[in-house]
Amino acid sequence: EAPALDAPLIRASIALGAVAPVVVRASAAESFLVGKSLNEETIAEAARLAVQAASPIDDIRSSAEYRRAMVEALTARALRQIAAGETRAGWPEQPVLLWGDTGGVWPVTRRNGKRSEGADANERTALVNGRSVALPGGMTLLDSLRAVGFVGVKEGCAEGECGACTVSLDGMAVMACMVPAERAWGGEILTVEGLAACGQLHPVQQAFIESGGVQCGYCTPGFLVSAAKLLEERPHPDIAAAAEALTGNFCRCTGYHKILEAVVRAGELQAAASA
Ligand code: FES
Ligand code: FES
């Protein structure tokens, strides 16, 4: 039997991300909530206490004051959703994850104890676009791939913000600037250079050309890889799915319409090719 939503809490865990050097627990708010039921007063007090755990920075994206205010607002919002039994409110029924068919299990190529031939962690090799490649370590996967010639993988921000460096690692889309090269040893990587097969453009490449989605050389490789991953999950994406899939890819010239149209068109091209 599900506990009553207004029952006193036995345990409370609140974690805050991006408002301190590492993810932190809001321990004062957690202790306060134990033994209490969620109502407007307790929620407001817990949200106020949660701010104590935050030590945000001031930077170009927002002030520390704004971030503290957001901790309070978002904590209160989350607790109200829990109290109302609506923790998944606003979540898509089937979120786009860009995980292909991996189910999010990492690392995929080693899941059953099997290794891909040509990819060996001890030998510091990975299978890149189907070819065994020695990847230098001591750097990001982005720098490592570029060092060995995969310069289609672009550096836009180098801090996980823009998606220009998106590649598929063991079947999942990752931002290569946020992954140590060592993480890819023994794994399988697909870069933009590997999308075309047997001299035939990938449907997303063809669609980007047809729809005018190719706008600049920095963003396009990442868009193409994310779009290709989307087609594995949603063979017929609509505009909403395309937009969700590309939330991690920035176009600084803001020309998103043609890009989204291209992703939908890619689904049509893929369907036509397999008919
Ligand atoms: S370069 Fe990796 S996310 Fe921008
Ligand atoms: S596609 Fe690169 S800035 Fe718009």
Side-chain angles (χ1 to χ4, degrees):
E1 194 185 337
L5 291 173
D6 59 355
L9 299 182
I10 298 166
R11 204 172 51 243
S13 303
I14 302 174
L16 307 176
V19 285
V22 294
V23 174
V24 288
R25 293 278 292 271
S27 46
E30 292 174 353
S31 310
F32 168 76
L33 283 172
V34 173
K36 303 200 175 58
S37 52
L38 291 175
N39 56 48
E40 267 313 306
E41 289 75 46
T42 55
I43 287 173
E45 181 60 8
R48 202 184 58 75
L49 290 170
V51 181
Q52 289 179 7
S55 51
I57 55 170
D58 269 309
D59 71 7
I60 192 166
R61 295 182 185 89
S62 81
S63 65
E65 192 187 349
Y66 177 80
R67 288 183 161 111
R68 274 191 288 270
M70 282 302 99
V71 168
E72 185 168 352
L74 294 177
T75 303
R77 191 179 301 172
L79 291 174
R80 275 190 211 107
Q81 284 182 340
I82 291 170
E86 293 176 350
T87 47
R88 286 185 62 97
W91 288 29
E93 197 58 34
Q94 257 195 309
V96 172
L97 299 169
L98 306 187
W99 283 351
D101 60 0
T102 66
V105 180
W106 187 299
V108 178
T109 45
R110 284 160 255 172
R111 186 167 38 182
N112 301 321
K114 287 188 196 150
R115 294 245 167 121
S116 311
E117 208 166 315
D120 189 325
N122 295 325
E123 296 187 359
R124 307 180 171 198
T125 54
L127 213 57
V128 186
N129 302 333
R131 175 160 73 82
S132 179
V133 174
L135 288 176
M139 59 184 78
T140 65
L141 178 58
L142 166 63
D143 288 340
S144 184
L145 284 167
R146 288 183 61 86
V148 294
F150 296 96
V151 292
V153 190
K154 294 293 186 283
E155 178 178 302
C157 63
E159 54 183 25
E161 299 269 2
C162 74
C165 61
T166 305
V167 298
S168 169
L169 172 58
D170 288 344
M172 297 181 223
V174 299
M175 292 179 185
C177 69
M178 301 302 288
V179 178
E182 291 80 355
R183 189 73 186 78
W185 289 343
E188 280 186 40
I189 298 168
L190 177 77
T191 72
V192 69
E193 290 96 337
L195 283 179
C198 309
Q200 200 61 33
L201 290 180
H202 188 285
V204 298
Q205 293 172 306
Q206 188 62 45
F208 268 62
I209 294 168
E210 285 181 16
S211 306
V214 182
Q215 290 162 168
C216 89
Y218 270 95
C219 320
T220 303
F223 275 119
L224 291 172
V225 174
S226 293
K229 295 304 300 176
L230 172 66
L231 290 197
E232 292 174 15
E233 262 172 64
R234 304 280 170 90
H236 307 289
D238 57 13
I239 288 276
E244 200 183 332
L246 299 181
T247 46
N249 294 84
F250 286 177
C251 153
R252 293 157 183 87
C253 62
T254 71
Y256 287 100
H257 281 292
K258 288 187 182 305
I259 292 171
L260 296 177
E261 280 166 25
V263 177
V264 174
R265 174 76 183 133
E268 294 164 4
L269 289 178
Q270 182 172 259
S274 56

